[in-house]
Amino acid sequence: MNANQFLKAVEQLQGWRQTAFLLALAERAFPNYALFSEAIGTKAGGKMRQLLDTGWGLFEQKSAENQIPQLLAKLESLSPDVEAYDAYGVYPASEFCLLLEEALLSRLNPSRHRATEASRVATGTVMNFIAFSEGEGLDESELVRLLDSHPLMKEDKVFQRDLILGLKRQRVPKEHYLRELQNLAANDGVSNLGITLSDDEPGRSG
């Protein structure tokens, strides 16, 4: 699947497939939020873990839309203000919140396409992290080469491509498939930035 084919496939996502795609992107990014919350000394990681799990659980509920405004309000209360922290980690944490918000909104309003922008946000998190951590002093062409060859960028591309291929093969959102999808996205607690939750982190999924 080349870049144009991937983009077209993302644009074609709709209904439950789009929601599942967005939730999977959020799941992969969750450790970025949990570790930032741990670093600033809050208990928000565990609360956000519950909220994300609730998002996955909505597939099993016929009247799930009634819960979503309340879930969105809770998400807003747990989302960090990027202006309030002088730490890089606030940006990946905030971008995780954006992905989860898009997932919840897609269930509330499934006719609106959200997957393309969310895909860009998720990839942008990885690109910005690489530029921040390894790109100092590089000119534009050197930075492009770094991004093109970086393992995290390749992993993000493979992850999103495999998500799309798997979703296209699935006719209905069966419970066992969604569990497999969540486990795939969780990646044993390793985020799209290659950072992992420690075993005693309260936001760890287990």
Side-chain angles (χ1 to χ4, degrees):
M1 184 184 290
N2 63 34
N4 288 334
Q5 290 171 327
F6 172 77
L7 183 59
K8 186 175 181 180
V10 174
E11 290 171 348
Q12 291 173 343
L13 286 175
Q14 54 186 312
W16 74 266
R17 290 182 181 84
Q18 174 171 245
T19 302
F21 178 74
L22 296 169
L23 279 169
L25 293 182
E27 185 70 51
R28 180 59 63 100
F30 171 72
N32 303 335
Y33 178 91
L35 290 170
F36 173 73
S37 298
E38 183 182 37
I40 63 174
T42 74
K43 303 288 187 182
K47 295 177 182 177
M48 189 65 85
R49 179 67 258 173
Q50 292 176 352
L51 186 57
L52 180 55
D53 287 340
T54 300
W56 284 104
L58 292 177
F59 283 108
E60 301 168 29
Q61 302 177 34
K62 291 183 179 178
S63 58
E65 292 77 9
N66 298 333
Q67 297 182 49
I68 291 176
Q70 182 180 355
L71 298 177
L72 288 167
K74 186 174 183 180
L75 175 60
E76 184 177 6
S77 72
L78 294 172
S79 298
D81 177 3
V82 295
E83 303 295 331
Y85 298 96
D86 186 24
Y88 182 81
V90 71
Y91 297 105
S94 177
E95 286 154 5
F96 156 80
C97 294
L98 178 60
L99 292 172
L100 181 52
E101 179 184 39
E102 289 296 297
L104 294 173
L105 287 171
S106 77
R107 182 62 191 266
L108 192 62
N109 180 14
S111 63
R112 179 174 171 184
H113 182 72
R114 302 175 186 275
T116 299
E117 180 58 27
S119 174
R120 290 195 190 107
V121 169
T123 300
T125 298
V126 180
M127 292 175 64
N128 292 334
F129 175 72
I130 295 168
F132 172 78
S133 58
E134 301 180 37
E136 186 176 359
L138 299 182
D139 62 29
E140 187 174 343
S141 61
E142 290 170 332
L143 182 58
V144 168
R145 284 197 295 273
L146 172 65
L147 292 172
D148 283 345
S149 63
H150 203 282
L152 289 179
M153 290 296 297
K154 293 179 179 178
E155 288 168 16
D156 176 71
K157 186 180 295 185
V158 169
F159 170 59
Q160 292 201 38
R161 182 200 66 196
D162 288 350
L163 277 182
I164 294 289
L165 293 174
L167 287 165
K168 287 178 70 175
R169 287 194 295 264
Q170 200 70 21
R171 292 183 61 188
V172 293
K174 293 182 179 178
E175 184 179 348
H176 72 87
Y177 170 72
L178 293 171
R179 278 202 306 269
E180 290 173 4
L181 187 65
Q182 184 178 8
N183 288 335
L184 170 71
N187 197 33
D188 294 324
V190 181
S191 84
N192 54 349
L193 303 185
I195 60 179
T196 185
L197 300 176
S198 57
D199 289 336
D200 57 353
E201 161 60 37
R204 184 175 177 83
S205 175

